[in-house]
Amino acid sequence: MSDTAKTASFDPERFFELARRVGHGMALGLEYRASGDNWMELCLPWREELVGVPETGVLASGAIVSLIDTASGGSVWMTLGHFVPIVTLDLRLDYMRPALKGETVIARCECVKLTRQIAFIRGVAHGGDPERPIAHSAATFMLSS
C-alpha cells in the first residue's frame, strides 16, 4: 500500500474534530497540529482549570500525560493508516521542567516500531522549542484488532 493510500484512510483532523466534542477530549481541549506517516503532533493550550500548582500557574502533570498518551495513540493510527482500537500498555514520562503559566504544550510522538500486536512510541513535549523539552516519553500500545 502506498503512503498516500495508507494515510488517506485515517483523517486525523476529522478524528480530532469529533474527539474534541465529547468527554476527555472536550475537557482538555487538545488540538491537532500536524501528522505524517508515523507521527502526530497535538497541543494543549494553557487554561486555568488545568493548573496543578495555583501559586505558580504550572500545568498539572496529568493533563500532560493525557496529551502525550493521545499523540502516541495517534502516531499508531498514522502508521497503520486506519483506526483500530488500541490500549496503552506502558507510558513513561521523564519530566525535564514544568509547563509554565500561559505556555501551550506541544507533543510530537512517533511510532518507531510496529509488530502484529504491539506498537512502540517515543515522544517529546515542549512549549514551542523542542530543544527545551518539558518531557520525553516512551510508550507501548497493544492493537486490539
Side-chain angles (χ1 to χ4, degrees):
M1 178 184 285
S2 75
D3 288 340
T4 304
K6 185 170 85 168
T7 56
S9 60
F10 177 71
D11 183 347
E13 290 183 70
R14 175 108 171 99
F15 179 83
F16 281 100
E17 177 185 313
L18 297 171
R20 283 181 50 101
R21 295 182 187 165
V22 295
H24 198 79
M26 187 170 67
L28 287 175
L30 300 180
E31 297 176 2
Y32 171 79
R33 287 179 48 102
S35 59
D37 288 343
N38 69 334
W39 61 271
M40 182 169 286
E41 192 172 271
L42 303 176
C43 72
L44 174 66
W46 186 92
R47 293 196 335 266
E48 188 74 39
E49 58 269 23
L50 299 177
V51 167
V53 183
E55 301 79 30
T56 63
V58 168
L59 278 181
S61 60
I64 297 169
V65 169
S66 294
L67 168 67
I68 291 176
D69 186 52
T70 305
S72 294
S75 76
V76 175
W77 296 322
M78 293 306 298
T79 302
L80 291 168
H82 60 276
F83 177 86
V84 297
I86 56 177
V87 178
T88 307
L89 293 177
D90 184 49
L91 176 61
R92 175 193 165 115
L93 269 68
D94 293 320
Y95 284 96
M96 313 308 250
R97 67 175 184 85
L100 304 174
K101 184 174 185 173
E103 186 173 36
T104 293
V105 180
I106 300 164
R108 182 181 172 116
C109 296
E110 175 185 6
C111 182
V112 294
K113 182 170 176 69
L114 182 65
T115 69
R116 214 169 40 83
Q117 295 181 322
I118 305 293
F120 300 86
I121 299 91
R122 67 177 171 218
V124 64
H126 57 85
D129 179 3
E131 298 300 315
R132 193 170 171 262
I134 292 168
H136 287 273
S137 66
T140 54
F141 282 72
M142 181 177 72
L143 283 64
S144 296
S145 60

